[in-house]
Amino acid sequence: MSDIAQPTKIRLRVEGMDCASCATKIENALQRLPGVQDVVVSVPAGTVIVSHDGSEADDGICQRVSDLGYRVAQVDAAGSSNHRQQQANDEASSPEDGHSHLHEHTSSGGAWWRTRKGILTIASGMALAVAYVLGKAVPTTEHWAFLLAMLVGLVPIARRAVSAARVGTPFSIEMLMSVAAIGAVVIGATEEAATVVFLFLIGELLEGVAASRARASIQDLTRLVPKTARVEEDGQVREVQAETLAVGALIQVRPGDRIPADGMIVSGQSAIDEAPVTGESTPVRKGPDDTLFAGTVNGDGLLRVRVTAAAADNTIARVVRLVEEAQESKAPTERFIDRFSRFYTPGVVAVAILVAVVPPLLFGGVWSNWIYKGLAILLIGCPCALVISTPAAIAASLSAGARRGLLLKGGAVLEQVGKVTMACFDKTGTLTAGKPQVTDVIGLARSENDVLGFAAALEAGSSHPLATAILAEAHKRDIPIPATSESEAVGGKGIRARVDGLHVFLGSPSAAAEIVSLKPDDELRFAGLTDEGKTVSVLVIGQLLAGAIAMRDEPRPDAVKGLKLLNEAGIKTVMLTGDNQRTAAAVGKQLGIEVQAGLLPQDKQRIVAQFRNAGWTVAKIGDGINDAPALAAADVGIAMGGGTDVALETADAAVLHGRVSDVAAMVDLSKRTMVNIRQNIAVALGLKAVFLVTTMAGLTGLWAAILADTGATVLVTLNALRLLAPPGADQADEK
């Protein structure tokens, strides 16, 4: 009983599984094994997750998949990091056996025509060409020549059909194809039967090529991380495998090199090209204490970097993992299509039988004509294009989003984001950068540079956010920082020390007023800065009011643009913050956003619930830590920032690179995806409807029927691939 309560989960990486028919066959086959409790098949990710009670060994599960003609490339405990670490290596494995809708060509890294399926398609085409020439040269051999040509392609198809039928999938596309081809031979349409088999193989080939491209889009990220890294130990630098880097290791990154691990800069400055990971075209200038992402490119300076994440847990590995797990969950639309197809296919078979039998029996129709039409309907009715229409679009969107730092945990979240009508933002770290910056330096008895230099001297060595802001500004202006002595903190007031022989104090205006008298104009000026949400530190040198420094957590550079994009999309925005009303109002005025301030985490949760009860579809955007209750209460919780574990794990979605405008981009991606899905469904059902009418009218036959199936599948997959391109691009993702 304990095994049942805690089932064992394994994840299989299956090569050759590139269509809905493949997923159905594998799911049905595994569910019939003893002890198997649940099977989750993801065609886009190429994975199968099996929950079982241990009564069936992992080898038995793999064997059942292999019996269907697929290749199990890898087996891991579901949720382990091992399979993620090895994904790129798996892509280099070369499947040489079993069924494949031609994911093999990408897995092996070789040309499609060298794969088993490619060879079979070419052989079928050559046999068809030989049969055509032989039939024209020696007409008496035509029937047998086309029969042999048909068997070249049909025998492997029929073998897969029988295997699938034995383990619970009698209505597979291979079975329908086999019945149609054999039926065509029976009624004398041997040439057409051979042609249809060849077209079917071509359709499968194209389908696999298109599907593998979507899968490769996210896997390409893993190739951004370099294979080696330069580790610094005891003053010596040596080259090691990047995957062996441990957290805390010190590495050197030379100009022009890719950064081999997530880390923090210890020393050095450089322009970092983050385009491969974030899509940003402009390099970002970074220096000490700034974070770096694995896979980005160092520009013009030598950097010493402290590793902050092992290879299996760096930003790229976690993005790939999250997208894979998201692709394994189904959206509401996808679940509906799956349920519909379970009744649709048997219904089509029943209709095909009625079309073949009823007119000849009841109305004196010609048997061969109506059997032919029934066989065509079998092929027209295959649900592959319909079933793949939704997951193909969702997989492409999840991959495209991940490459831009938009991480969504599954198709259900992707659908829901596009329905959002209210966006509730946290302030600190979400709408703002999350760290104070110097906004004003005021020189009174001393120059601005003197004020900043003396203040930096007092704050040297402190890690307080305000101190860090002052030191950063002094460094930015290249202001020399004098030495200090006798430094001490004045509890709740500020800090004082001796600098260049002078007694210097830096603290709040009220604390400074206890040392020197403040003029009314100065007091008014400091109060005005405070009203703007800024923190004012006043510098006193001896008995003179030397000057003041104002600091504030400034809005992110794209905050105004991001909020404007949301408003233009018809989404109401509001700021929910625990900060004081004065500071929040100042930032809100800058951004043009409604503000509710002074809120505790439970207050944010309550307000989000109120919005939902009022009929809004609410997205809560926060840092994923103190906003956790509100994130959970919203229809969609979106974590903002930095690729931290909390940001990736807490919410339904995450904006990895901290851009406010990316929230609007996420909404746009969702809406484009739903339009794409509707287009796919229309193509899948529309082509079937057209060819159904033309077949019944005698205008088209088996060759058109196979185009209605595999052709539609290829079309909807190619249409889904358009989502890999940036918004507004004319073409799909570049090769």
Side-chain angles (χ1 to χ4, degrees), residues 2-279:
S2 60
D3 288 339
I4 296 176
Q6 295 180 337
T8 299
K9 280 190 177 184
I10 61 170
R11 178 187 271 103
L12 313 179
R13 186 166 298 282
V14 180
E15 293 180 349
M17 183 180 65
D18 290 311
C19 73
S21 175
C22 300
T24 300
K25 284 184 290 186
I26 291 174
E27 184 176 355
N28 289 343
L30 294 180
Q31 284 177 339
R32 296 164 77 93
L33 286 173
V36 171
Q37 300 171 0
D38 188 37
V39 179
V40 178
V41 183
S42 172
V43 173
T47 59
V48 179
I49 297 179
V50 184
S51 302
H52 63 99
D53 62 9
S55 60
E56 181 72 38
D58 292 355
D59 287 346
I61 293 172
C62 294
Q63 187 59 49
R64 177 58 65 91
V65 176
S66 298
D67 288 344
L68 293 172
Y70 302 92
R71 180 176 183 272
V72 179
Q74 188 177 336
V75 183
D76 287 294
S80 75
S81 61
N82 183 47
H83 85 281
R84 297 146 194 159
Q85 183 68 20
Q86 296 179 358
Q87 283 171 4
N89 296 334
D90 290 341
E91 294 297 316
S93 63
S94 179
E96 292 298 335
D97 49 40
H99 165 71
S100 167
H101 282 59
L102 266 286
H103 174 49
E104 299 162 22
H105 82 284
T106 52
S107 295
S108 66
W112 62 265
W113 57 82
R114 294 179 180 173
T115 63
R116 187 179 183 89
K117 193 66 174 185
I119 292 171
L120 178 61
T121 305
I122 293 171
S124 177
M126 292 177 65
L128 183 63
V130 170
Y132 179 81
V133 172
L134 192 59
K136 293 298 183 183
V138 187
T140 56
T141 65
E142 184 177 49
H143 172 80
W144 298 106
F146 279 113
L147 180 62
L148 290 174
M150 180 197 73
L151 291 175
V152 170
L154 186 63
V155 168
I157 294 170
R159 188 166 57 239
R160 299 201 308 261
V162 172
S163 297
R166 283 194 293 107
V167 291
T169 309
F171 297 114
S172 65
I173 177 57
E174 288 86 359
M175 182 62 76
L176 300 183
M177 182 67 232
S178 300
V179 170
I182 294 170
V185 171
V186 170
I187 62 175
T190 311
E191 180 179 355
E192 192 164 3
T195 304
V196 165
V197 169
F198 177 58
L199 289 175
F200 174 77
L201 292 176
I202 290 177
E204 279 197 317
L205 181 62
L206 293 174
E207 174 188 320
V209 170
S212 64
R213 184 176 177 188
R215 189 175 299 157
S217 173
I218 187 63
Q219 290 298 333
D220 283 346
L221 283 175
T222 63
R223 299 183 178 92
L224 293 176
V225 181
K227 300 290 185 184
T228 61
R230 292 165 53 82
V231 174
E232 183 179 322
E233 292 178 339
D234 301 324
Q236 301 295 316
V237 178
R238 61 188 180 90
E239 197 166 271
V240 301
Q241 293 295 307
E243 63 185 18
T244 66
L245 290 174
V247 175
L250 186 64
I251 59 176
Q252 285 189 6
V253 185
R254 296 170 298 188
D257 285 355
R258 284 192 184 274
I259 294 163
D262 284 4
M264 179 176 291
I265 297 176
V266 174
S267 64
Q269 289 191 356
S270 184
I272 307 299
D273 180 8
E274 296 186 334
V277 177
T278 68

Side-chain angles (χ1 to χ4, degrees), residues 555-563 658-662:
R556 292 182 182 272
D558 74 328
V560 172
K561 173 188 174 184
L563 294 174
R659 295 184 289 251
V660 178
S661 56
D662 278 353

Side-chain angles (χ1 to χ4, degrees), residues 29 52 105 159 260 263 271 275 292 377 381 412 471 488 510 543 546 573 666 680 708:
H52 63 99
H105 82 284
R159 188 166 57 239
L292 298 174
I377 289 173
L471 290 166
E488 65 173 312
S510 59
Q543 295 299 311
T573 57
M666 193 177 283
N680 285 348

